[in-house]
Amino acid sequence: MSLNASEQMRSLVTQYIKYLAGRDIENLMSLFAEQVDWFIPGNQDLAPWLGRRSSKEEIRMFFKMLWENTEPVSAKVEHILIEGNFGIITGEFSTRMLKTGKIFDSIFSIHLTVESNLIVRYRLQEDSYAVSEALTE
């Protein structure tokens, strides 16, 4: 039995959450296309992992930098909304910035667009002001 587009999208989003939570870089990267329209707004001078990316290798470097500089404290997914090949994940999290030891809390939403069962567009919205504050000593 084959999955319809919404079921495939929900499966991919579930895998994304699982791999992200486990910091499983190889499986996480298998979900992305070679070229991705990626954007996470914020102060790149303080948090160089933020900003625009377009290649799978740049996305791999994002996760590497993020994981080298942060420690997850808690995360809660509240909603997964699927409409065809588009999905939104909402929730909240707490993260410790290793540089300062400060913890910041934020709500978030991740917007994903998928083509050929691979992520081609990615947007993360979080409290970028809180990120900056947590990175300031």
Side-chain angles (χ1 to χ4, degrees):
M1 178 169 90
S2 66
L3 299 176
N4 69 32
S6 291
E7 290 168 333
Q8 285 179 345
M9 184 67 188
R10 185 167 299 282
S11 175
L12 185 139
V13 167
T14 301
Q15 288 177 313
Y16 173 81
I17 293 167
K18 174 185 170 187
Y19 299 150
L20 182 63
R23 292 190 171 193
D24 181 345
I25 192 67
E26 295 310 318
N27 280 317
L28 194 57
M29 294 312 302
S30 73
L31 302 177
F32 288 92
E34 289 301 320
Q35 294 297 307
V36 179
D37 176 5
W38 172 289
F39 184 49
I40 304 174
N43 184 336
Q44 289 178 258
D45 291 334
L46 289 174
W49 55 88
L50 299 177
R52 295 193 179 275
R53 304 202 185 286
S54 60
S55 74
K56 202 169 186 172
E57 189 55 36
E58 289 173 333
I59 294 166
R60 179 183 295 273
M61 291 307 300
F62 159 82
F63 286 112
K64 185 175 187 297
M65 283 190 286
L66 176 69
W67 296 342
E68 287 173 350
N69 288 282
T70 65
E71 175 183 278
V73 175
S74 66
K76 178 181 162 190
V77 171
E78 294 174 344
H79 300 281
I80 298 173
L81 309 167
I82 305 294
E83 184 179 287
N85 70 333
F86 178 73
I88 299 175
I89 307 163
T90 67
E92 53 189 64
F93 65 87
S94 294
T95 301
R96 180 183 328 279
M97 294 299 178
L98 298 178
K99 176 182 171 186
T100 62
K102 292 181 182 178
I103 294 176
F104 88 95
D105 304 309
S106 181
I107 59 172
F108 72 88
S109 67
I110 300 171
H111 303 227
L112 304 168
T113 303
V114 170
E115 291 176 5
S116 302
N117 214 30
L118 293 171
I119 300 167
V120 296
R121 186 172 187 273
Y122 183 98
R123 297 290 186 272
L124 170 64
Q125 297 171 333
E126 62 185 354
D127 184 347
S128 59
Y129 179 75
V131 172
S132 295
E133 287 292 301
L135 285 168
T136 303
E137 297 193 50

PDB file of all heavy atoms in Angstrom, residues 30-53:
ATOM      1  N   SER A  30      19.941  12.798   5.096  1.00  0.00           N
ATOM      2  CA  SER A  30      19.278  12.028   4.027  1.00  0.00           C
ATOM      3  C   SER A  30      17.897  12.580   3.701  1.00  0.00           C
ATOM      4  O   SER A  30      17.328  12.242   2.662  1.00  0.00           O
ATOM      5  CB  SER A  30      19.170  10.553   4.429  1.00  0.00           C
ATOM      6  OG  SER A  30      18.168  10.370   5.434  1.00  0.00           O
ATOM      7  N   LEU A  31      17.358  13.453   4.549  1.00  0.00           N
ATOM      8  CA  LEU A  31      16.036  14.030   4.325  1.00  0.00           C
ATOM      9  C   LEU A  31      16.072  15.292   3.460  1.00  0.00           C
ATOM     10  O   LEU A  31      15.031  15.773   3.033  1.00  0.00           O
ATOM     11  CB  LEU A  31      15.373  14.366   5.674  1.00  0.00           C
ATOM     12  CG  LEU A  31      15.207  13.209   6.648  1.00  0.00           C
ATOM     13  CD1 LEU A  31      14.602  13.713   7.952  1.00  0.00           C
ATOM     14  CD2 LEU A  31      14.362  12.100   6.043  1.00  0.00           C
ATOM     15  N   PHE A  32      17.283  15.828   3.209  1.00  0.00           N
ATOM     16  CA  PHE A  32      17.410  17.089   2.479  1.00  0.00           C
ATOM     17  C   PHE A  32      17.836  16.872   1.030  1.00  0.00           C
ATOM     18  O   PHE A  32      18.656  16.001   0.737  1.00  0.00           O
ATOM     19  CB  PHE A  32      18.441  17.995   3.164  1.00  0.00           C
ATOM     20  CG  PHE A  32      17.950  18.574   4.455  1.00  0.00           C
ATOM     21  CD1 PHE A  32      18.188  17.927   5.658  1.00  0.00           C
ATOM     22  CD2 PHE A  32      17.230  19.760   4.477  1.00  0.00           C
ATOM     23  CE1 PHE A  32      17.726  18.436   6.857  1.00  0.00           C
ATOM     24  CE2 PHE A  32      16.759  20.286   5.671  1.00  0.00           C
ATOM     25  CZ  PHE A  32      17.004  19.621   6.867  1.00  0.00           C
ATOM     26  N   ALA A  33      17.305  17.713   0.149  1.00  0.00           N
ATOM     27  CA  ALA A  33      17.736  17.727  -1.253  1.00  0.00           C
ATOM     28  C   ALA A  33      19.147  18.316  -1.329  1.00  0.00           C
ATOM     29  O   ALA A  33      19.646  18.898  -0.365  1.00  0.00           O
ATOM     30  CB  ALA A  33      16.765  18.568  -2.082  1.00  0.00           C
ATOM     31  N   GLU A  34      19.776  18.182  -2.479  1.00  0.00           N
ATOM     32  CA  GLU A  34      21.131  18.736  -2.650  1.00  0.00           C
ATOM     33  C   GLU A  34      21.115  20.260  -2.551  1.00  0.00           C
ATOM     34  O   GLU A  34      22.046  20.858  -2.042  1.00  0.00           O
ATOM     35  CB  GLU A  34      21.728  18.295  -3.988  1.00  0.00           C
ATOM     36  CG  GLU A  34      22.103  16.825  -4.042  1.00  0.00           C
ATOM     37  CD  GLU A  34      23.131  16.418  -2.992  1.00  0.00           C
ATOM     38  OE1 GLU A  34      24.087  17.183  -2.729  1.00  0.00           O
ATOM     39  OE2 GLU A  34      22.979  15.317  -2.419  1.00  0.00           O
ATOM     40  N   GLN A  35      20.057  20.890  -3.054  1.00  0.00           N
ATOM     41  CA  GLN A  35      19.893  22.341  -2.969  1.00  0.00           C
ATOM     42  C   GLN A  35      18.638  22.645  -2.158  1.00  0.00           C
ATOM     43  O   GLN A  35      17.573  22.097  -2.455  1.00  0.00           O
ATOM     44  CB  GLN A  35      19.789  22.957  -4.370  1.00  0.00           C
ATOM     45  CG  GLN A  35      21.063  22.833  -5.185  1.00  0.00           C
ATOM     46  CD  GLN A  35      22.216  23.592  -4.556  1.00  0.00           C
ATOM     47  OE1 GLN A  35      22.108  24.773  -4.267  1.00  0.00           O
ATOM     48  NE2 GLN A  35      23.325  22.913  -4.334  1.00  0.00           N
ATOM     49  N   VAL A  36      18.790  23.502  -1.149  1.00  0.00           N
ATOM     50  CA  VAL A  36      17.684  23.821  -0.249  1.00  0.00           C
ATOM     51  C   VAL A  36      17.617  25.328  -0.050  1.00  0.00           C
ATOM     52  O   VAL A  36      18.641  25.987   0.123  1.00  0.00           O
ATOM     53  CB  VAL A  36      17.878  23.125   1.122  1.00  0.00           C
ATOM     54  CG1 VAL A  36      16.741  23.466   2.067  1.00  0.00           C
ATOM     55  CG2 VAL A  36      18.014  21.613   0.963  1.00  0.00           C
ATOM     56  N   ASP A  37      16.413  25.858  -0.071  1.00  0.00           N
ATOM     57  CA  ASP A  37      16.172  27.264   0.253  1.00  0.00           C
ATOM     58  C   ASP A  37      15.986  27.309   1.771  1.00  0.00           C
ATOM     59  O   ASP A  37      14.903  27.039   2.281  1.00  0.00           O
ATOM     60  CB  ASP A  37      14.928  27.744  -0.492  1.00  0.00           C
ATOM     61  CG  ASP A  37      14.538  29.167  -0.133  1.00  0.00           C
ATOM     62  OD1 ASP A  37      15.280  29.839   0.622  1.00  0.00           O
ATOM     63  OD2 ASP A  37      13.468  29.599  -0.588  1.00  0.00           O
ATOM     64  N   TRP A  38      17.050  27.633   2.499  1.00  0.00           N
ATOM     65  CA  TRP A  38      17.120  27.526   3.962  1.00  0.00           C
ATOM     66  C   TRP A  38      17.321  28.900   4.579  1.00  0.00           C
ATOM     67  O   TRP A  38      18.178  29.665   4.130  1.00  0.00           O
ATOM     68  CB  TRP A  38      18.307  26.634   4.292  1.00  0.00           C
ATOM     69  CG  TRP A  38      18.712  26.512   5.707  1.00  0.00           C
ATOM     70  CD1 TRP A  38      19.313  27.455   6.488  1.00  0.00           C
ATOM     71  CD2 TRP A  38      18.607  25.360   6.537  1.00  0.00           C
ATOM     72  NE1 TRP A  38      19.576  26.960   7.738  1.00  0.00           N
ATOM     73  CE2 TRP A  38      19.146  25.680   7.789  1.00  0.00           C
ATOM     74  CE3 TRP A  38      18.099  24.076   6.325  1.00  0.00           C
ATOM     75  CZ2 TRP A  38      19.208  24.763   8.839  1.00  0.00           C
ATOM     76  CZ3 TRP A  38      18.165  23.169   7.361  1.00  0.00           C
ATOM     77  CH2 TRP A  38      18.706  23.517   8.596  1.00  0.00           C
ATOM     78  N   PHE A  39      16.541  29.209   5.606  1.00  0.00           N
ATOM     79  CA  PHE A  39      16.727  30.485   6.284  1.00  0.00           C
ATOM     80  C   PHE A  39      16.292  30.389   7.737  1.00  0.00           C
ATOM     81  O   PHE A  39      15.184  29.952   8.032  1.00  0.00           O
ATOM     82  CB  PHE A  39      15.951  31.600   5.585  1.00  0.00           C
ATOM     83  CG  PHE A  39      16.175  32.969   6.173  1.00  0.00           C
ATOM     84  CD1 PHE A  39      17.456  33.453   6.413  1.00  0.00           C
ATOM     85  CD2 PHE A  39      15.113  33.773   6.484  1.00  0.00           C
ATOM     86  CE1 PHE A  39      17.653  34.715   6.956  1.00  0.00           C
ATOM     87  CE2 PHE A  39      15.296  35.044   7.025  1.00  0.00           C
ATOM     88  CZ  PHE A  39      16.580  35.506   7.260  1.00  0.00           C
ATOM     89  N   ILE A  40      17.200  30.808   8.625  1.00  0.00           N
ATOM     90  CA  ILE A  40      16.901  30.971  10.045  1.00  0.00           C
ATOM     91  C   ILE A  40      17.377  32.371  10.412  1.00  0.00           C
ATOM     92  O   ILE A  40      18.580  32.631  10.478  1.00  0.00           O
ATOM     93  CB  ILE A  40      17.624  29.924  10.921  1.00  0.00           C
ATOM     94  CG1 ILE A  40      17.278  28.511  10.461  1.00  0.00           C
ATOM     95  CG2 ILE A  40      17.256  30.138  12.392  1.00  0.00           C
ATOM     96  CD1 ILE A  40      18.065  27.425  11.173  1.00  0.00           C
ATOM     97  N   PRO A  41      16.453  33.309  10.605  1.00  0.00           N
ATOM     98  CA  PRO A  41      16.848  34.681  10.909  1.00  0.00           C
ATOM     99  C   PRO A  41      17.528  34.790  12.267  1.00  0.00           C
ATOM    100  O   PRO A  41      17.250  34.001  13.171  1.00  0.00           O
ATOM    101  CB  PRO A  41      15.531  35.456  10.898  1.00  0.00           C
ATOM    102  CG  PRO A  41      14.439  34.487  10.700  1.00  0.00           C
ATOM    103  CD  PRO A  41      15.013  33.134  10.529  1.00  0.00           C
ATOM    104  N   GLY A  42      18.416  35.773  12.384  1.00  0.00           N
ATOM    105  CA  GLY A  42      19.081  36.034  13.661  1.00  0.00           C
ATOM    106  C   GLY A  42      20.415  36.703  13.459  1.00  0.00           C
ATOM    107  O   GLY A  42      20.854  36.943  12.326  1.00  0.00           O
ATOM    108  N   ASN A  43      21.087  37.002  14.564  1.00  0.00           N
ATOM    109  CA  ASN A  43      22.367  37.696  14.564  1.00  0.00           C
ATOM    110  C   ASN A  43      23.499  36.707  14.280  1.00  0.00           C
ATOM    111  O   ASN A  43      23.950  36.001  15.169  1.00  0.00           O
ATOM    112  CB  ASN A  43      22.568  38.386  15.918  1.00  0.00           C
ATOM    113  CG  ASN A  43      23.819  39.217  15.969  1.00  0.00           C
ATOM    114  OD1 ASN A  43      24.776  38.997  15.232  1.00  0.00           O
ATOM    115  ND2 ASN A  43      23.822  40.202  16.858  1.00  0.00           N
ATOM    116  N   GLN A  44      23.961  36.681  13.038  1.00  0.00           N
ATOM    117  CA  GLN A  44      25.008  35.752  12.635  1.00  0.00           C
ATOM    118  C   GLN A  44      26.364  36.093  13.244  1.00  0.00           C
ATOM    119  O   GLN A  44      27.233  35.233  13.309  1.00  0.00           O
ATOM    120  CB  GLN A  44      25.104  35.706  11.115  1.00  0.00           C
ATOM    121  CG  GLN A  44      23.928  35.003  10.489  1.00  0.00           C
ATOM    122  CD  GLN A  44      24.021  35.004   8.986  1.00  0.00           C
ATOM    123  OE1 GLN A  44      23.345  35.783   8.324  1.00  0.00           O
ATOM    124  NE2 GLN A  44      24.857  34.149   8.446  1.00  0.00           N
ATOM    125  N   ASP A  45      26.560  37.345  13.677  1.00  0.00           N
ATOM    126  CA  ASP A  45      27.824  37.691  14.331  1.00  0.00           C
ATOM    127  C   ASP A  45      27.939  36.960  15.665  1.00  0.00           C
ATOM    128  O   ASP A  45      29.018  36.516  16.044  1.00  0.00           O
ATOM    129  CB  ASP A  45      27.924  39.199  14.555  1.00  0.00           C
ATOM    130  CG  ASP A  45      28.069  39.962  13.243  1.00  0.00           C
ATOM    131  OD1 ASP A  45      28.583  39.371  12.258  1.00  0.00           O
ATOM    132  OD2 ASP A  45      27.664  41.128  13.190  1.00  0.00           O
ATOM    133  N   LEU A  46      26.837  36.833  16.375  1.00  0.00           N
ATOM    134  CA  LEU A  46      26.830  36.120  17.654  1.00  0.00           C
ATOM    135  C   LEU A  46      26.592  34.622  17.484  1.00  0.00           C
ATOM    136  O   LEU A  46      27.146  33.818  18.234  1.00  0.00           O
ATOM    137  CB  LEU A  46      25.752  36.694  18.582  1.00  0.00           C
ATOM    138  CG  LEU A  46      26.026  38.081  19.147  1.00  0.00           C
ATOM    139  CD1 LEU A  46      24.816  38.584  19.922  1.00  0.00           C
ATOM    140  CD2 LEU A  46      27.247  38.055  20.057  1.00  0.00           C
ATOM    141  N   ALA A  47      25.782  34.256  16.533  1.00  0.00           N
ATOM    142  CA  ALA A  47      25.419  32.849  16.296  1.00  0.00           C
ATOM    143  C   ALA A  47      25.645  32.526  14.820  1.00  0.00           C
ATOM    144  O   ALA A  47      24.729  32.619  14.003  1.00  0.00           O
ATOM    145  CB  ALA A  47      23.960  32.617  16.686  1.00  0.00           C
ATOM    146  N   PRO A  48      26.875  32.152  14.450  1.00  0.00           N
ATOM    147  CA  PRO A  48      27.203  31.965  13.036  1.00  0.00           C
ATOM    148  C   PRO A  48      26.448  30.826  12.352  1.00  0.00           C
ATOM    149  O   PRO A  48      26.466  30.737  11.132  1.00  0.00           O
ATOM    150  CB  PRO A  48      28.713  31.702  13.046  1.00  0.00           C
ATOM    151  CG  PRO A  48      29.046  31.320  14.438  1.00  0.00           C
ATOM    152  CD  PRO A  48      28.028  31.941  15.327  1.00  0.00           C
ATOM    153  N   TRP A  49      25.771  30.009  13.111  1.00  0.00           N
ATOM    154  CA  TRP A  49      24.986  28.936  12.496  1.00  0.00           C
ATOM    155  C   TRP A  49      23.669  29.451  11.907  1.00  0.00           C
ATOM    156  O   TRP A  49      23.021  28.757  11.137  1.00  0.00           O
ATOM    157  CB  TRP A  49      24.712  27.804  13.488  1.00  0.00           C
ATOM    158  CG  TRP A  49      24.062  28.229  14.768  1.00  0.00           C
ATOM    159  CD1 TRP A  49      22.723  28.333  15.006  1.00  0.00           C
ATOM    160  CD2 TRP A  49      24.708  28.606  15.981  1.00  0.00           C
ATOM    161  NE1 TRP A  49      22.492  28.753  16.290  1.00  0.00           N
ATOM    162  CE2 TRP A  49      23.713  28.923  16.924  1.00  0.00           C
ATOM    163  CE3 TRP A  49      26.037  28.718  16.375  1.00  0.00           C
ATOM    164  CZ2 TRP A  49      23.982  29.336  18.219  1.00  0.00           C
ATOM    165  CZ3 TRP A  49      26.316  29.129  17.675  1.00  0.00           C
ATOM    166  CH2 TRP A  49      25.301  29.431  18.579  1.00  0.00           C
ATOM    167  N   LEU A  50      23.272  30.671  12.252  1.00  0.00           N
ATOM    168  CA  LEU A  50      22.032  31.238  11.727  1.00  0.00           C
ATOM    169  C   LEU A  50      22.242  31.760  10.303  1.00  0.00           C
ATOM    170  O   LEU A  50      23.355  31.817   9.810  1.00  0.00           O
ATOM    171  CB  LEU A  50      21.554  32.368  12.641  1.00  0.00           C
ATOM    172  CG  LEU A  50      21.248  31.963  14.081  1.00  0.00           C
ATOM    173  CD1 LEU A  50      20.848  33.176  14.906  1.00  0.00           C
ATOM    174  CD2 LEU A  50      20.191  30.882  14.140  1.00  0.00           C
ATOM    175  N   GLY A  51      21.157  32.141   9.655  1.00  0.00           N
ATOM    176  CA  GLY A  51      21.265  32.765   8.335  1.00  0.00           C
ATOM    177  C   GLY A  51      20.779  31.873   7.212  1.00  0.00           C
ATOM    178  O   GLY A  51      20.047  30.911   7.420  1.00  0.00           O
ATOM    179  N   ARG A  52      21.203  32.231   6.013  1.00  0.00           N
ATOM    180  CA  ARG A  52      20.785  31.522   4.796  1.00  0.00           C
ATOM    181  C   ARG A  52      21.797  30.449   4.429  1.00  0.00           C
ATOM    182  O   ARG A  52      22.994  30.629   4.612  1.00  0.00           O
ATOM    183  CB  ARG A  52      20.646  32.501   3.633  1.00  0.00           C
ATOM    184  CG  ARG A  52      19.541  33.507   3.848  1.00  0.00           C
ATOM    185  CD  ARG A  52      19.197  34.255   2.568  1.00  0.00           C
ATOM    186  NE  ARG A  52      18.116  35.186   2.834  1.00  0.00           N
ATOM    187  CZ  ARG A  52      16.827  34.867   2.807  1.00  0.00           C
ATOM    188  NH1 ARG A  52      16.454  33.655   2.489  1.00  0.00           N
ATOM    189  NH2 ARG A  52      15.899  35.775   3.079  1.00  0.00           N
ATOM    190  N   ARG A  53      21.279  29.376   3.883  1.00  0.00           N
ATOM    191  CA  ARG A  53      22.112  28.291   3.375  1.00  0.00           C
ATOM    192  C   ARG A  53      21.426  27.771   2.113  1.00  0.00           C
ATOM    193  O   ARG A  53      20.225  27.954   1.925  1.00  0.00           O
ATOM    194  CB  ARG A  53      22.242  27.175   4.396  1.00  0.00           C
ATOM    195  CG  ARG A  53      22.787  27.698   5.719  1.00  0.00           C
ATOM    196  CD  ARG A  53      23.407  26.627   6.559  1.00  0.00           C
ATOM    197  NE  ARG A  53      23.819  27.131   7.856  1.00  0.00           N
ATOM    198  CZ  ARG A  53      24.866  27.907   8.097  1.00  0.00           C
ATOM    199  NH1 ARG A  53      25.635  28.280   7.117  1.00  0.00           N
ATOM    200  NH2 ARG A  53      25.168  28.295   9.312  1.00  0.00           N
TER     201      ARG A  53
END
